[in-house]
């Protein structure tokens, strides 16, 4: 049972997120998603349209996702990898290199971002 872990805000869920989650799941058998809390989003300088509970529920409804946990600080990743017996960490390549410190604990994969879609673009196109 290969366990995969990824992190994100996942606001205004779109096909870039879905493709990321599908590829993340293909790296193993069990996918854990750590979704940023509203408080951590503020630390990341992000204001999400959907609150944490809604974003958590939407992720839990996705067939590739097996468990959703909160991401509430930058320093939790090593503990998460240990506490959830994670074999593989992955995230979009906009984070290329940022999480290489995890390599002593698990595999680290940076997956190509899906071009042409982002939460920011959706908000802009909708005039939000
Ligand atoms: N993503 C993607 N393609 C897009 C948009 C997003 O592959 N067009 C990926 C991102 O690379 C990330 C995931 O979808 O792996 C979630 O994206 P965000 O919600 O923007 O996540 P982010 O704010 O980058 O949070 O500790 C890590 C952070 O919490 C990551």
């Amino acid at each position: 049972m290969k366990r995969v872990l990824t992190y994100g805000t996942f606001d205004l869920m779109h096909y870039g997120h879905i493709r990321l989650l599908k590829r993340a799941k293909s790296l193993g058998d069990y996918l854990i998603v750590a979704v940023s809390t509203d408080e951590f989003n503020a630390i990341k300088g992000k204001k999400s349209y959907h609150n944490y509970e809604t974003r958590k529920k939407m992720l839990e409804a996705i067939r590739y996702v097996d468990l959703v946990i909160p991401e509430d600080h930058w320093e939790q990743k090593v503990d998460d990898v240990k506490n959830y017996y994670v074999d593989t960490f992955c995230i979009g390549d906009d984070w290329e290199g940022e999480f290489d410190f995890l390599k002593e604990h698990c595999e680290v994969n940076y997956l190509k971002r899906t071009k042409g879609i982002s939460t920011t673009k959706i908000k802009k196109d909708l005039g939000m």
Side-chain angles (χ1 to χ4, degrees), residues 68-95:
V68 180
I69 61 173
E71 177 188 29
D72 45 32
H73 58 287
W74 286 115
E75 302 73 27
Q76 71 183 73
K77 293 184 175 69
V78 172
D79 288 341
D80 289 345
V81 168
K82 290 178 184 168
N83 295 339
Y84 290 94
Y85 307 100
V86 169
D87 302 287
T88 300
F89 164 87
C90 63
I91 199 160
D93 62 0
D94 44 320
W95 292 94

Side-chain angles (χ1 to χ4, degrees), residues 40-111:
F40 185 56
N41 266 341
I43 294 171
K44 293 198 307 187
K46 282 194 160 185
K47 174 107 185 62
S48 61
Y49 179 80
H50 292 303
N51 67 19
Y52 169 75
E53 278 309 317
T54 300
R55 290 181 285 114
K56 180 172 188 288
K57 284 195 184 78
M58 289 174 79
L59 282 161
E60 286 168 342
I62 294 170
R63 67 169 61 191
Y64 309 118
V65 177
D66 296 288
L67 175 67
V68 180
I69 61 173
E71 177 188 29
D72 45 32
H73 58 287
W74 286 115
E75 302 73 27
Q76 71 183 73
K77 293 184 175 69
V78 172
D79 288 341
D80 289 345
V81 168
K82 290 178 184 168
N83 295 339
Y84 290 94
Y85 307 100
V86 169
D87 302 287
T88 300
F89 164 87
C90 63
I91 199 160
D93 62 0
D94 44 320
W95 292 94
E96 184 80 39
E98 293 298 319
F99 302 116
D100 288 354
F101 63 87
L102 289 172
K103 285 184 176 171
E104 57 187 279
H105 305 283
C106 63
E107 274 170 46
V108 173
N109 291 278
Y110 297 104
L111 305 175

Side-chain angles (χ1 to χ4, degrees), residues 9-25:
T9 295
F10 294 99
D11 190 32
L12 296 180
M13 189 69 67
H14 55 66
Y15 66 86
H17 295 138
I18 300 297
R19 280 193 71 243
L20 185 285
L21 295 168
K22 181 173 184 176
R23 283 174 293 153
K25 182 58 174 281

